[in-house]
Amino acid sequence: MDVVALEIPEVKIITPRRFADDRGYFSETYNARAFKAAGLDVDFVQDNHSYSAKKGTVRGLHYQAPPHAQSKLVRVLRGSILDVAVDARKASPTFGKWVKAELSAENGKQIFVPKGFLHGFVTLEPDTDVAYKVDAFYDAASDGSVKWNDPVLAIDWGIDENAASLSNKDAAAPAWPDFKSPF
């Protein structure tokens, strides 16, 4: 397993080894001992699966407030995404900054997004399946979001904003300047 810190070092790209032959490949996508040895001591409690039929589907920017805040380990089972993490930790020197990475079934990369970050992604192709582990159970009362294309954040999603497919929740999300970070 290869672990690389992004420009915000708490966010990591994890690339599990693949063992390939003429039949396909095998990959161990999560191993608690290996993650702990890499400094990622996280106790995942829930697995989630997101399917998006259309290219340009945006999911995010989402978070769960403490005490139900979640760290996430995200990977793509089919298709590809541009994954984004925004630092929402008020005392952080990188507060309001973001990092992104392209994850695909083909490249096998995963992203680790710790507590205190907003998280979102856009699908880069149709019929994309995303799986992610979280270290806290979903709690509807703690669920929140921030506008994905807020001009203050100025995230480069690499898509035409007018062609984005959004949920009602994401379309109505508050702007970054109106967001009162719970982190």
Side-chain angles (χ1 to χ4, degrees):
M1 164 176 92
D2 184 41
V3 179
V4 176
L6 292 178
E7 294 82 15
I8 300 174
E10 295 86 350
V11 181
K12 315 270 190 217
I13 294 296
I14 298 157
T15 308
R17 291 178 53 202
R18 285 186 173 176
F19 302 92
D21 60 24
D22 60 342
R23 300 169 297 161
Y25 66 84
F26 169 83
S27 182
E28 186 177 81
T29 59
Y30 174 73
N31 178 302
R33 284 183 299 216
F35 271 64
K36 189 172 185 172
L40 301 169
D41 191 9
V42 182
D43 183 21
F44 291 115
V45 298
Q46 181 176 312
D47 284 353
N48 300 319
H49 183 156
S50 168
Y51 167 74
S52 299
K54 297 163 117 182
K55 176 181 177 178
T57 298
V58 175
R59 297 185 185 273
L61 297 162
H62 301 154
Y63 68 92
Q64 274 201 179
H68 302 285
Q70 296 177 326
S71 295
K72 297 179 180 178
L73 178 63
V74 182
R75 67 189 180 106
V76 175
L77 304 174
R78 177 174 55 169
S80 60
I81 63 172
L82 182 70
D83 198 279
V84 175
V86 179
D87 192 346
R89 301 168 300 167
K90 292 180 279 196
S92 172
T94 55
F95 177 76
K97 305 295 183 200
W98 51 269
V99 291
K100 65 180 181 176
E102 187 171 324
L103 309 179
S104 69
E106 186 175 317
N107 71 21
K109 292 180 180 182
Q110 302 178 67
I111 191 167
F112 175 77
V113 181
K115 292 176 173 78
F117 284 76
L118 308 178
H119 175 257
F121 63 84
V122 61
T123 57
L124 302 177
E125 53 190 287
D127 297 319
T128 294
D129 283 295
V130 176
Y132 58 100
K133 297 181 166 308
V134 293
D135 66 348
F137 295 106
Y138 176 74
D139 180 75
S142 302
D143 188 47
S145 60
V146 170
K147 191 166 195 63
W148 71 283
N149 60 348
D150 185 275
V152 174
L153 293 175
I155 297 168
D156 178 9
W157 291 92
I159 63 166
D160 176 1
E161 290 185 15
N162 297 319
S165 178
L166 302 169
S167 69
N168 291 336
K169 170 188 164 183
D170 290 343
W176 175 256
D178 299 328
F179 169 61
K180 304 295 184 234
S181 179
F183 303 108

